[in-house]
Amino acid sequence: MDFKSSTVYQIYPKSFCDSNGDGIGDIRGMIGKLDYMKSLGVDYIWSTPFFASPLNDNGYDVEDYRSIHPLFGTMEDVEELIQKAEERGMGLMLDMVFNHTSTQHEWFQKALAGDKKYMDYYIFKDGEPGTPPTNWQSKFGGSAWEYVPKLNKWYLHLFDVTQADLNWNNPDVREELKNVIRFWKEKGVKGFRFDVVNLISKPDVFEDDDEGDGRRFYSDGPYVHEFLKELTADTDIGDMIMVGEMSSTSLEHCIRYSDPREKELTMCFNFHHLKVDYPDGNKWALARPDYRRLKELFELWQTKTAQQGGWNAVFWCNHDQPRIVSRLGDEKAYWKESAKMLATCIYLLRGTPYIYQGEELGMPNPGYRSIEEYRDVESVNYYHILLQEGKTQEEALRILGQRSRDNGRSPMQWHGGEYAGFSTSQPWIGIPEHYQYINVQEEEKDADSVLHYYRRLVALRKQYPVIQDGTIAFLYQEQETVFAYQREWEGQKLLVLNNLSDREVVLQEAVSCGGYECLLSNYGQDGARSRLETLRAYESIVWLKED
Ligand code: TEU
Ligand code: CA
């Protein structure tokens, strides 16, 4: 299937739908909702990991890449999911966590027992207790090294202490991982998402980072492009959809990863646009979003990838991010308008759109109020770090309320009844009160809902080549809150105008729409006018002209 006209729907299984009433979402729950996914018009379903795991990082700590965690279901369930998705014209994409394994993985257990072969599967360094090999920091807080007294060695973990980094320099490791790909390909999986795949190549020399937490040494590391080329070629997955999650990456590298001539990946996720509200790059502090920076980033990434031959995954939300309507919109007074406006900003760009479960309903952050309500390892770690740094509990909770990954992990809201239709018993993580009006059942009934608007956006991409293939030029870049662009393809011209602000904005130059048809507006009929001089609060307008 052509990825240029496709849309991907992301599922976080634990929070999507619980089929057996234990409060935890599962694979049979996903099977039961395939018709819903089909009704969105999406082509692929990406599920985050459901493999055997101690679940310290909700499955990103994999213990066995070929078996299914019993909480999520069985291998037969996964086979049925693949088959039933396929019957509906959708492909399943699996999440390959190849930068690290769980320390419960058989390989790491053998390494711990002193088996030389398996010690070389990971990154062990000699050393004394108390002095880690480098000053690198884990992304979840604290040192990135853990000491193993029995071995007199430290191992590297860029994430949790139970997520040990693999040694990709070892060809045996690469072969093991290729076998995992072959296994799932055989099962009929249609694509892959590769977790933090730009971190797999560590530097030849490990040294202290005087400027930061070490990421500049291993992000887009020395052999990463070679490793990806080899993985793709040797498993023959070049025709599948492959998206790499790139952490602290650069535009130049992402173009290389996604340029079809390089035969590495199909597209990349990058996170620069989701850091415009991090003061000095600090996720754990709050600031007003820098809209100019946001617009500049989109302009830069969109135009450069178009010129040089790369491809982007476009997204606002995933299981690691707070909800976009709470972040850049107004979850109260302009909830519906701003949720639709934010969708319009990105889903008509050049790239493949990813919709994260619940985003299509305009789900806001859950608003958890006490630390007991949080489940995520990163959130709990940082809560304590913030307290140590002198923040009050109230301040720390306010930061988590905006930044925690659990903001994106509250259960999917299917209806306004018991447990939001997610489960028949108390879910593993709390359901926010807004489920009573923000849920699938209500939004199906409302012709003007966020849900129907998302369907329309997905359908437009299929319908108009200009959205798939058109050139792109950004407009009104000097106007801070106007997010606007024009796309062109043969006889088609698409004009997308959005106001990121809760105030009316006067356009520096008015637009008259002679010859244009209004394809979409988040103010319904009220949005229609023949000349645009202003944009209302959070307004979105999309115009199309065809010769
Ligand atoms: O995330 C990678 C990653 O670096 C982040 O999104 C991370 O959560 C954030 O930067 C911390 O501030 C991927 C997965 O999406 C995430 O769920 C996993 O926890 C992580 O890798 C480790 O596998
Ligand atoms: Ca369950």
Side-chain angles (χ1 to χ4, degrees), residues 256-325:
R256 277 176 74 185
Y257 294 128
S258 63
D259 183 336
R261 291 165 296 194
E262 299 284 342
K263 298 189 165 50
E264 295 181 14
L265 300 170
T266 330
M267 63 189 96
C268 303
F269 290 118
N270 84 79
F271 297 90
H272 296 286
H273 64 295
L274 295 175
K275 295 182 179 174
V276 297
D277 51 4
Y278 291 5
D280 300 318
N282 180 7
K283 171 171 174 172
W284 304 101
L286 303 179
R288 180 180 179 271
D290 182 343
Y291 296 110
R292 280 188 199 280
R293 173 111 188 99
L294 181 78
K295 280 152 39 98
E296 281 161 16
L297 280 166
F298 272 108
E299 178 174 35
L300 183 72
W301 282 71
Q302 285 281 307
T303 52
K304 290 280 180 221
T305 46
Q307 278 161 17
Q308 296 176 26
W311 194 253
N312 293 303
V314 293
F315 72 107
W316 282 130
C317 297
N318 69 26
H319 63 291
D320 295 331
Q321 297 292 328
R323 295 290 183 174
I324 201 64
V325 68

Side-chain angles (χ1 to χ4, degrees), residues 18-22 24-26 71:
D18 172 21
S19 71
N20 61 351
D22 62 0
I24 296 176
D26 45 54
L71 268 180

Side-chain angles (χ1 to χ4, degrees), residues 475-536:
L475 311 169
Y476 301 103
Q477 281 299 71
E478 349 40 66
Q479 290 198 265
E480 194 187 2
T481 65
V482 181
F483 192 111
Y485 50 90
Q486 181 175 302
R487 306 206 50 197
E488 278 187 79
W489 182 84
E490 297 190 355
Q492 294 181 346
K493 202 166 173 183
L494 188 80
L495 193 58
V496 182
L497 292 150
N498 299 285
N499 179 9
L500 292 166
S501 140
D502 61 355
R503 282 187 224 155
E504 181 179 275
V505 52
V506 179
L507 292 172
Q508 267 168 15
E509 215 177 308
V511 202
S512 27
C513 53
Y516 279 91
E517 122 189 51
C518 181
L519 274 190
L520 206 58
S521 153
N522 64 345
Y523 274 76
Q525 287 307 323
D526 293 351
R529 47 213 194 263
S530 58
R531 192 176 152 79
L532 272 183
E533 280 161 6
T534 58
L535 290 174
R536 297 160 216 226

Side-chain angles (χ1 to χ4, degrees), residues 57 60 100 140 193 195-196 245 283 319-320 378 405:
D57 188 18
Y60 281 92
H100 44 263
F140 292 166
R193 179 259 191 194
D195 190 58
V196 290
E245 187 206 25
K283 171 171 174 172
H319 63 291
D320 295 331
E378 183 196 51
R405 304 194 297 180

